[in-house]
């Protein structure tokens, strides 16, 4: 009898061990590599010394923090196309662009693959957009759990509105968190008994617009605390510091949402049977060098993972492309990796239990870009770029250097400057591939000031065909050494390696003639607003 009892217990333990892990994926819009835990590993002044993200920090401390996690494309839709499919963005057909994106249902996505494996899947708000149909790789809205509300998607606007109406600040914030909890509760309540689950929390609050000054008003982040801590390519002036403080405030709002979800997992007894992954879809919007740029400020993002049964406190140096998450999630769910996947699962990295460089072959990432805003340039043309990021160096190839990287100047001329309100709130007013913002407005207004001319040209001027940055000496990538004789060998080596890798994975930009991205339907005229909804009329 005792033997049978022991055998039953061992069998039950084995069955529990084989049960697929749940997945909680928290993915923020426009969130670069900003979390307070990174400050512990940096040797230079940084905004990470100002922002406070205790919940994200907890996940990293109880799991792993990645230093070198990169998006495949620093633009919402193509980044997410790569993430969801595990393919390079340029291998996802019309999903490789932002405005005018169309999802190809023949491309397998990890959420629907997990659904086929028996997972209960659900999402709250943004997964894949702008694009047609919205959130298609997640099954559209068939698996949406959003009825509790989505005011947190406009966090600073909604909280400020409540406070202005007499609600206490903490109560106003909690009203937002209650909606986050309510959506997750409804998802958990609909879960079939014993089914593993995938829940995608996709708030858009870190995406512009935010309430000006809300970083200090709602979170106590003093703009002057950022003095001397901004990247070199951002003017260290009050207007930029205030705008960046508001950005950090939205990151702290996202962190609070993470805390709500993790607490709910604990209450449900699921924390230690759930892989928690936290990241963002690219760098800061409305700032030079961020979103829509292949510099680290635009492509390097936070990645923290808590994995049941694995040691915490790990700092991982391997280069990881977010498209690696698709095969990772598929492997967690026991699914076969479908043909066409370019990403490489990081399950082996997580299960190695090590810090530092875990797998030496993970020594590079490729990033790139085609079209973002459709009307940014004459003829609705893209700004095609590819980059190779390796230890200490960044090489960028600009295929069409005669085009404007952030789009044409539009209504801006040497003699005419649009008004402050237009520059702060209408992305299409000038250089449409950079989101409208107080920072963008200030830089445009000071473009003739000799002290800031360099910053303006860094942000908006034409770029040479080749860029090379020695990040060991220039971590913010502000000094292009591509034409310096001392770097000729390194440039040639990285250029050849990039083209070889692009050809090997079938990038249409280098393997097809004519290049499809230069023709219909990739250059159709379509416009969307900052959060993915079609504009009835562009201002």
């Amino acid at each position: 009898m005792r033997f049978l009892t022991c055998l039953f217990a061992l069998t039950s333990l084995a069955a529990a061990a084989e049960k697929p892990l749940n997945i909680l994926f928290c993915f923020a819009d426009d969130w670069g590599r900003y979390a307070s835990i990174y400050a512990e590993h940096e040797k230079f002044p940084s905004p990470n010394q100002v922002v406070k993200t205790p919940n994200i920090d907890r996940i990293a401390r109880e799991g792993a923090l990645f230093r070198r996690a990169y998006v495949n494309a620093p633009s919402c839709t193509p980044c997410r196309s790569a993430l969801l499919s595990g393919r390079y963005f340029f291998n996802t057909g019309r999903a490789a662009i932002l405005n005018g994106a169309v999802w190809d249902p023949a491309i397998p996505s990890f959420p629907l693959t997990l659904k086929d494996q028996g997972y209960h899947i659900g999402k709250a708000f943004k997964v894949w957009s702008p694009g047609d149909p919205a959130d298609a790789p997640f099954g559209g809205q068939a698996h949406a759990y959003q009825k509790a509300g989505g005011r947190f998607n406009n966090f600073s606007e909604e909280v400020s509105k409540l406070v202005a109406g007499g609600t206490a600040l903490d109560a106003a914030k909690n009203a937002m968190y209650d909606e986050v909890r309510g959506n997750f509760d409804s998802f958990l309540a609909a879960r079939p008994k014993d089914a593993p689950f995938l829940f995608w929390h996709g708030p858009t609050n870190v995406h512009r617009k935010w309430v000006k000054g809300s970083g200090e008003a709602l979170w106590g982040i003093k703009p002057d605390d950022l003095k001397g801590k901004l990247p070199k390519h951002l003017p260290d002036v009050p207007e930029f510091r205030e705008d960046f403080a508001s950005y950090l405030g939205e990151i702290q709002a996202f962190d609070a949402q993470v805390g709500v979800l993790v607490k709910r997992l604990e209450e449900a007894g699921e924390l230690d049977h759930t892989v928690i992954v936290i990241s963002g879809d690219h760098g800061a919007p409305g700032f030079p060098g961020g979103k829509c740029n292949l510099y680290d400020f635009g492509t390097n993002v936070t990645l923290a993972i808590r994995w049941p049964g694995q040691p915490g406190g790990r700092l991982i140096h391997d280069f990881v492309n977010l498209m690696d998450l698709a095969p990772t999630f598929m492997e967690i769910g026991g699914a076969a990796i479908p043909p066409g996947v370019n990403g490489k699962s990081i399950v082996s990295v997580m299960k190695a239990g090590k810090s530092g460089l875990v797998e030496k072959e993970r020594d590079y990432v490729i990033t790139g870009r085609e079209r973002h805003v459709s009307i940014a340039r004459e003829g609705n043309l893209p700004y095609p770029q590819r980059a190779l990021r390796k230890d200490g160096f960044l090489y960028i190839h600009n295929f069409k250097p005669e085009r404007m990287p952030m789009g044409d100047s539009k209504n801006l001329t040497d003699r005419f400057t649009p008004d402050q309100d237009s520059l702060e709130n209408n992305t299409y007013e000038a250089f449409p591939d950079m989101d409208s913002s107080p920072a963008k407005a200030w830089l445009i207004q000071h473009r003739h000031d000799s002290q800031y001319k360099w910053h303006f040209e860094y942000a908006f001027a034409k770029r040479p065909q080749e860029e090379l940055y020695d990040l060991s000496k220039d971590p913010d990538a502000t000094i292009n050494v591509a034409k310096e004789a001392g770097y000729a060998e390194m440039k040639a080596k990285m250029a050849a390696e990039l083209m070889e890798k692009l050809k090997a994975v079938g990038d249409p930009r280098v393997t097809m003639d004519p290049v499809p991205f230069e023709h219909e339907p990739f250059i159709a005229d379509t416009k969307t607003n900052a959060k993915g909804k079609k504009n009835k009329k562009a201002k």
Side-chain angles (χ1 to χ4, degrees):
M1 188 68 175
R2 183 178 297 174
F3 170 77
L4 291 175
T5 301
C6 292
L7 181 61
F8 177 78
L10 290 171
T11 302
S12 298
L13 286 171
E18 293 173 1
K19 180 182 176 183
L21 293 168
N22 306 316
I23 300 167
L24 171 63
F25 185 45
C26 300
F27 199 55
D29 247 8
D30 295 22
W31 178 36
R33 211 197 72 166
Y34 291 108
S36 46
I37 193 169
Y38 280 112
E40 300 174 14
H41 306 288
E42 294 173 337
K43 300 178 181 178
F44 48 85
S46 161
N48 286 319
Q49 296 160 2
V50 176
V51 71
K52 304 298 179 187
T53 54
N55 298 294
I56 295 163
D57 294 357
R58 175 194 171 181
I59 297 305
R61 292 189 201 289
E62 295 180 4
L65 182 69
F66 289 75
R67 288 182 55 226
R68 292 165 165 171
Y70 289 81
V71 297
N72 187 216
S75 171
C76 293
T77 305
C79 164
R80 292 161 183 267
S81 298
L83 164 67
L84 285 151
S85 68
R87 301 182 178 202
Y88 281 112
F89 81 97
F90 46 71
N91 285 337
T92 62
R94 290 175 64 184
I97 59 176
L98 183 101
N99 286 174
V102 176
W103 182 259
D104 180 356
I107 297 177
S109 65
F110 80 78
L112 298 183
T113 298
L114 290 179
K115 179 178 179 292
D116 290 343
Q117 290 293 117
Y119 270 69
H120 171 52
I121 71 171
K123 64 98 178 177
F125 298 97
K126 186 171 179 177
V127 172
W128 184 82
S129 75
D132 186 28
D135 299 336
F138 211 97
Q141 306 312 309
H143 308 291
Y145 291 85
Q146 302 167 173
K147 291 182 179 179
R151 289 181 296 171
F152 53 83
N153 287 315
N154 300 90
F155 193 91
S156 61
E157 298 99 311
E158 294 292 340
V159 170
S160 297
K161 188 188 305 180
L162 288 173
V163 170
T167 304
L169 178 57
D170 284 346
K173 289 181 178 180
N174 283 328
M176 305 300 110
Y177 307 150
D178 286 345
E179 294 179 358
V180 174
R181 184 181 297 105
N183 290 331
F184 192 40
D185 281 345
S186 64
F187 167 76
L188 292 175
R191 175 191 182 190
K193 185 178 180 182
D194 296 329
F197 66 76
L198 161 69
F199 187 76
W200 178 310
H201 180 61
T204 59
N205 67 286
V206 185
H207 196 304
R208 290 188 186 269
K209 296 187 304 186
W210 323 306
V211 172
K212 197 172 182 178
S214 57
E216 183 170 14
L218 303 184
W219 299 99
I221 302 172
K222 298 186 180 302
D224 281 351
D225 287 348
L226 286 165
K227 197 169 186 177
K229 297 182 177 72
L230 294 177
K232 183 179 178 180
H233 59 273
L234 302 185
D236 198 351
V237 297
E239 292 80 359
F240 264 75
R241 293 196 291 269
E242 180 185 60
D243 204 10
F244 208 87
S246 296
Y247 175 58
L248 297 183
E250 296 293 349
I251 291 171
Q252 292 191 187
F254 172 68
D255 176 80
Q257 296 170 45
V258 170
V260 168
L261 296 172
V262 172
K263 182 180 179 181
R264 188 68 189 87
L265 274 181
E266 289 181 297
E267 293 169 349
E270 294 288 355
L271 179 64
D272 290 328
H273 200 68
T274 303
V275 174
I276 302 174
V277 181
I278 305 171
S279 193
D281 68 353
H282 51 68
F287 292 101
K291 181 178 182 175
C292 283
N293 289 271
L294 302 189
Y295 311 119
D296 277 15
F297 188 59
T299 58
N300 191 194
V301 293
T302 302
L303 180 60
I305 302 178
R306 185 186 190 276
W307 197 291
Q310 298 301 319
R314 300 164 61 192
L315 180 66
I316 295 178
H317 297 176
D318 299 48
F319 280 91
V320 172
N321 194 310
L322 289 199
M323 70 176 179
D324 295 335
L325 293 179
T328 300
F329 293 148
M330 290 177 183
E331 185 174 346
I332 289 172
I337 308 302
V341 169
N342 302 118
K344 183 181 178 184
S345 170
I346 60 171
V347 168
S348 58
V349 174
M350 291 305 302
K351 290 189 174 181
K354 301 176 183 178
S355 291
L357 183 61
V358 179
E359 296 179 351
K360 62 181 181 180
E361 66 272 16
R362 295 181 186 269
D363 62 351
Y364 75 93
V365 290
I366 290 173
T367 62
R369 175 187 169 202
E370 286 293 337
R371 195 178 79 168
H372 186 66
V373 170
S374 63
I375 63 166
R377 287 163 212 86
E378 187 71 25
N380 308 313
L381 294 171
Y383 189 76
Q385 300 176 283
R386 301 291 185 270
L388 179 64
R389 177 67 162 88
K390 303 195 76 171
D391 187 20
F393 285 93
L394 170 66
Y395 172 81
I396 302 174
H397 188 94
N398 300 311
F399 290 90
K400 299 291 182 180
E402 69 276 12
R403 297 176 188 169
M404 299 293 284
M406 291 294 104
D408 298 336
S409 57
K410 300 294 183 181
N411 295 332
L412 177 71
T413 68
D414 286 341
R415 296 185 178 182
F416 175 74
T417 302
D419 63 71
Q420 177 87 11
D421 182 70
S422 294
L423 289 173
E424 287 192 6
N425 296 290
N426 182 7
T427 292
Y428 303 116
E429 194 72 53
F431 310 116
D433 275 347
M434 182 187 291
D435 289 10
S436 57
S437 69
K440 180 181 180 180
W442 186 93
L443 189 56
I444 288 174
Q445 291 166 338
H446 289 77
R447 66 190 182 282
H448 298 308
D449 188 328
S450 60
Q451 186 177 356
Y452 302 110
K453 183 179 179 182
W454 177 88
H455 293 89
F456 178 81
E457 292 182 346
Y458 169 91
F460 302 116
K462 291 180 180 179
R463 299 171 186 175
Q465 187 170 67
E466 293 182 291
E467 299 177 63
L468 179 66
Y469 299 95
D470 183 346
L471 301 176
S472 65
K473 300 177 181 178
D474 175 29
D476 291 324
T478 60
I479 303 169
N480 182 10
V481 298
K483 291 185 177 181
E484 294 187 16
Y487 289 93
E489 184 178 350
M490 177 59 70
K491 183 184 77 170
K493 179 182 177 182
M494 293 191 73
E497 184 177 352
L498 174 61
M499 293 303 158
E500 180 183 355
K501 291 181 184 301
L502 293 176
K503 290 175 183 177
V505 296
D507 182 352
R509 177 57 66 175
V510 299
T511 61
M512 298 181 69
D513 186 15
V515 177
F517 300 128
E518 297 288 330
H519 302 278
E520 293 278 3
F522 291 93
I523 60 168
D525 178 4
T526 53
K527 294 175 281 291
T528 61
N529 68 17
K531 296 200 175 184
K533 297 179 181 178
K534 289 185 178 180
N535 286 325
K536 295 181 179 178
K537 182 179 180 181
K539 295 181 181 179

